Amino acid sequence: MNQRKRGGMTWGLGVGILAALSVGWGCAPSAPKGARKAAGTTSDLAVAAQKTYVAPGDLDEFYLFSSGGHSGQVYVYGVPSMRHLATIPVFTPYPATGYGFDDDTKAMLGNLTWDDVHHPALSETNGDYDGRWLFVNGMSGRIARIDLKDFKTRQIVGPVPNVSGNHGSSFVTPNTEYAMMASRFSIPIPKGTVAPIERYATDYRGVVAAIKIDSKTGQMSYGWEILTPPFDWDLGDAGKKISDGWMFWTCYNSERATGKLEVTASQRDRDYIAAVDWRAAEKAIADGKGEMVGGVKVLDPRKVPGLIYLMPCGKSPHGVDVSPDGKYVIGSGKLQGVTTAFNFEKIQTAIRNKDFTGDEDGIPVLKYESIKDAEVPVGLGPLHTQFGPDGYAYTSLFVDSAIAKWKLGTWEVVDKVPMSYSIGHLCAAEGDACSPKGKYLVGLNKLSHGRHLSVGPSQPESLQLVDISEEKMKLLYDAFTEPEPHYAQMITATTLHPIEVYAKEDNKHPLAIWDIKDAGVSRAGNKVTVKVVEVRSTIYPTAIEVTEGDTVTLAITNIEQTTDELHGFGLLDYNFNIVIDPGETKTVTFKADKPGVFPYYCTNFCSALHQEMQGYLIVKEKA
Ligand code: K7E
Ligand code: CUA
């Protein structure tokens, strides 16, 4: 069956939908006939081509930072060309840039050399992207910070205590006070505690966690956590403007079920969105109300009321998104045909009036009818919502495989555009900030079959560029990406000012050298330090002699001060390749554990005599 037909069908909320929602469609339908004309008539195609064409030498208008899912990476695209510009390795070694092989990045990764990146979060000032840092979550309970000065991963914190399955992350507050996290898979806490699965509902706990961010350096440190029932926290978004100070997270499995969750966790008609007053939590911690659990201060809402409330939401909601003015909190049951717009002021009134219908482990449940403004009939399987500059909202529809455009306030659905196929997140230009830019929207789709040359069973995912500058949305372009795009963020290119060379005077590395005369070997017992200089087109020294059993540290400085002049250092038979950018020093430490002669060479093509950039490590047999 093809996807379009499936999307057009009216499905009940029964098993059919549950089956359709499970990952993959179980079959691989061929491309719908006419897919090649998706952009419309010939003249439409010419217009679309012009809108996405960035001539050779010209630059794109936006950067798109797309999560790389279980690749552990972040992909950088230019918009509107959709050209892939860079891969930023975060949780995974990446020989192309030497990441995870030199001493510093290897230590930063630790023993976990994979993770699952879902949600990039650009740093914000007053609710708008400031272009300083990009935070990304790892499902293992980590958050990483990428510095947008050099597009390098500079810090990984975690696994954060008590957070298990960090899906609801990383979402930053409007002035980047915190990166927020939440547990998807509740466990007995602190980690290491054992309780049988039969005691899930009572002995397993979730948490929402705040990671503090230093406003000058971006350095992250553990903040505080709030204990929650064992729901599966899914996605979050920070309040902004009038709702600044609040944080929202969706959950599924408010049933506290185990086993076959697609059935057991879909029994209730409603799950929840948590509304967390993070300023109140901050104050409670300052007042000493936190208790140490697993090495971090945790607040128990039973003992400290007023921190967290539950907003009933359609069954098994996924995304939650706050409108640019901070007034509306949009959340959808992913099995429904409507998305709900909650009104922040009504939420505050309901809290003040104690307009509750009950509680969950001491957390008050707000009355749905009192806090909602509208149920917008967007279509089937609403997941995520982004915003334009003109009061329009865009909601991805997984089951319908489409994007719906609708108006905040009038709740009118004005347009739909099909996606090929099965859209998850979507990303409009600065579309989750206080000042969305409009123009472009990218659908991040799960399936792409028939839209590209076949590459066998491991099919790429698709990014579809949509023009949102006019009343009607128009599909412009199909691009493809490696697994697994979840969320992405798009930032005006001119907001970023990346460096292209590390200035010599900024290099404070203790082993940096700038003169080839200083290159060479020094020894302390069986510890050998080799200061290495790389410059077109020689690696100094050209031969390095050590003894079997020595622990060798190579400190390699690329003394170039010219853009684009990277050098590599690959050592044959040893498991590393290092890449050193202009002006940078990196170290790599290894044990010379076998005698022999091992060539090393520059792996980055750097000059006409790049091929000559080689040398030998001679490991003498132990006497
Ligand atoms: Cu919808 Cu992990 Cu944000 Cu995937 S998530 S789609
Ligand atoms: Cu240096 Cu190639």
Side-chain angles (χ1 to χ4, degrees):
M1 191 193 299
N2 87 35
Q3 296 292 331
R4 297 234 168 127
K5 270 197 206 138
R6 195 189 291 271
M9 281 178 154
T10 325
W11 290 65
L13 290 185
V15 181
I17 281 232
L18 291 176
L21 283 166
S22 59
V23 175
W25 293 82
C27 57
S30 56
K33 283 221 169 66
R36 293 216 163 75
K37 288 192 206 127
T41 66
T42 312
S43 67
D44 283 345
L45 283 176
V47 171
Q50 268 185 6
K51 287 204 166 173
T52 187
Y53 185 67
V54 176
D58 281 356
L59 304 181
D60 281 294
E61 196 178 340
F62 295 97
Y63 286 96
L64 179 81
F65 293 95
S66 175
S67 70
H70 48 281
S71 76
Q73 300 165 334
V74 167
Y75 304 121
V76 186
Y77 290 83
V79 177
S81 74
M82 300 307 288
R83 293 178 295 195
H84 172 247
L85 304 177
T87 294
I88 305 173
V90 182
F91 294 113
T92 313
Y94 192 54
T97 63
Y99 185 80
F101 292 92
D102 68 278
D103 292 339
D104 289 342
T105 56
K106 203 173 170 180
M108 192 162 66
L109 285 180
N111 296 326
L112 275 175
T113 56
W114 85 282
D115 216 321
D116 194 353
V117 175
H118 284 231
H119 307 115
L122 287 157
S123 56
E124 296 180 9
T125 300
N126 297 323
D128 282 314
Y129 302 160
D130 58 22
R132 297 202 287 169
W133 310 297
L134 180 73
F135 299 89
V136 297
N137 72 317
M139 280 285 286
S140 70
R142 295 183 291 175
I143 292 192
R145 183 185 83 251
I146 294 162
D147 196 324
L148 294 178
K149 270 232 139 42
D150 57 6
F151 284 51
K152 301 272 169 68
T153 303
R154 288 302 177 197
Q155 191 192 5
I156 294 175
V157 290
V160 174
N162 310 322
V163 176
S164 179
N166 177 34
H167 188 265
S169 172
S170 58
F171 304 104
V172 301
T173 50
N175 283 296
T176 319
E177 297 94 338
Y178 294 102
M180 297 292 190
M181 312 173 81
S183 292
R184 177 168 159 205
F185 312 118
S186 291
I187 54 168
I189 62 169
K191 228 175 232 179
T193 311
V194 178
I197 196 75
E198 291 74 28
R199 299 230 300 266
Y200 180 84
T202 52
D203 291 18
Y204 287 51
R205 305 310 291 273
V207 296
V208 297
I211 301 300
K212 225 175 164 24
I213 298 169
D214 183 289
S215 60
K216 291 227 163 54
T217 62
Q219 196 71 13
M220 297 178 284
S221 57
Y222 296 167
W224 41 263
E225 299 178 358
I226 300 174
L227 215 52
T228 76
F231 306 156
D232 290 51
W233 297 107
D234 203 9
L235 267 119
D237 196 15
K240 44 176 90 96
K241 294 199 172 159
I242 62 164
S243 52
D244 186 8
W246 288 75
M247 182 71 207
F248 303 92
W249 276 284
T250 54
C251 77
Y252 57 98
N253 195 18
S254 64
E255 291 84 354
R256 311 182 192 211
T258 56
K260 201 172 145 115
L261 286 198
E262 62 170 314
V263 177
T264 57
S266 301
Q267 300 172 72
R268 285 183 169 188
D269 278 342
R270 293 196 195 288
D271 288 288
Y272 299 116
I273 295 173
V276 174
D277 183 346
W278 61 257
R279 290 231 168 82
E282 217 172 30
K283 186 170 177 299
I285 290 291
D287 293 346
K289 290 180 181 159
E291 290 166 40
M292 279 303 237
V293 181
V296 62
K297 289 242 166 82
V298 178
L299 295 160
D300 183 343
R302 266 184 288 220
K303 296 177 195 156
V304 191
L307 305 177
I308 173 169
Y309 302 88
L310 296 171
M311 304 157 47
C313 181
K315 186 193 286 240
S316 305
H318 188 50
V320 55
D321 298 283
V322 179
S323 61
D325 55 10
K327 262 170 116 168
Y328 302 110
V329 180
I330 314 299
S332 319
K334 63 178 179 263
L335 306 176
Q336 291 183 310
V338 298
T339 192
T340 302
F342 296 94
N343 182 316
F344 180 73
E345 276 161 358
K346 289 185 179 173
I347 295 167
Q348 296 306 300
T349 307
I351 290 171
R352 267 196 310 275
N353 296 344
K354 296 202 167 27
D355 196 356
F356 306 145
T357 57
D359 77 288
E360 296 266 9
D361 295 0
I363 305 173
V365 177
L366 300 168
K367 192 166 163 206
Y368 178 76
E369 289 71 24
S370 303
I371 57 176
K372 76 135 205 278
D373 253 13
E375 289 178 349
V376 187
V378 286
L380 273 183
L383 294 187
H384 302 284
T385 298
Q386 290 269 289
F387 303 94
D390 43 11
Y392 284 103
Y394 301 84
T395 299
S396 58
L397 307 169
F398 181 84
V399 179
D400 272 354
S401 195
I403 295 171
K405 175 181 178 181
W406 54 280
K407 185 98 184 171
L408 290 162
T410 69
W411 319 119
E412 197 189 347
V413 179
V414 297
D415 193 24
K416 269 189 202 183
V417 64
M419 287 282 104
S420 306
Y421 314 91
S422 302
I423 184 173
H425 276 275
L426 72 180
C427 165
E430 311 204 6
D432 65 358
C434 284
S435 318
K437 299 295 182 272
K439 282 189 138 174
Y440 302 109
L441 179 66
V442 173
L444 295 97
N445 305 320
K446 299 305 177 194
L447 307 178
S448 66
H449 51 264
R451 306 282 296 190
H452 51 78
L453 291 176
S454 177
V455 291
S458 290
Q459 305 233 357
E461 265 74 41
S462 93
L463 307 178
Q464 286 189 299
L465 182 68
V466 177
D467 180 0
I468 55 166
S469 61
E470 291 165 40
E471 207 180 310
K472 285 251 156 220
M473 296 182 282
K474 286 192 199 77
L475 178 63
L476 295 179
Y477 195 70
D478 279 13
F480 300 95
T481 181
E482 299 212 323
E484 166 79 41
H486 292 274
Y487 189 35
Q489 285 183 325
M490 206 192 299
I491 179 172
T492 307
T494 50
T495 310
L496 301 194
H497 307 283
I499 58 163
E500 296 191 349
V501 164
Y502 294 101
K504 178 180 174 183
E505 53 276 18
D506 294 340
N507 182 330
K508 303 279 188 279
H509 199 290
L511 296 175
I513 52 169
W514 299 90
D515 192 324
I516 57 173
K517 289 203 306 286
D518 299 327
V521 177
S522 61
R523 172 181 288 277
N526 60 359
K527 291 208 184 334
V528 173
T529 302
V530 189
K531 290 183 182 168
V532 178
V533 165
E534 293 203 54
V535 63
R536 278 165 289 171
S537 300
T538 302
I539 302 176
Y540 303 90
T542 55
I544 299 168
E545 222 179 81
V546 301
T547 305
E548 181 187 358
D550 281 347
T551 298
V552 181
T553 296
L554 301 174
I556 309 167
T557 304
N558 174 353
I559 66 171
E560 308 271 1
Q561 289 286 281
T562 310
T563 290
D564 240 348
E565 284 302 336
L566 287 65
H567 296 291
F569 190 104
L571 177 58
L572 299 186
D573 296 305
Y574 282 84
N575 187 36
F576 65 80
N577 175 53
I578 307 296
V579 177
I580 311 97
D581 293 346
E584 193 178 34
T585 301
K586 279 182 179 171
T587 64
V588 56
T589 301
F590 62 98
K591 192 149 189 187
D593 51 6
K594 45 189 181 272
V597 173
F598 306 95
Y600 51 81
Y601 72 106
C602 173
T603 48
N604 268 63
F605 208 107
C606 52
S607 65
L609 296 173
H610 153 83
Q611 209 70 353
E612 281 73 4
M613 211 165 162
Q614 64 178 57
Y616 291 98
L617 172 74
I618 296 155
V619 183
K620 295 179 299 184
E621 271 170 337
K622 223 180 205 150

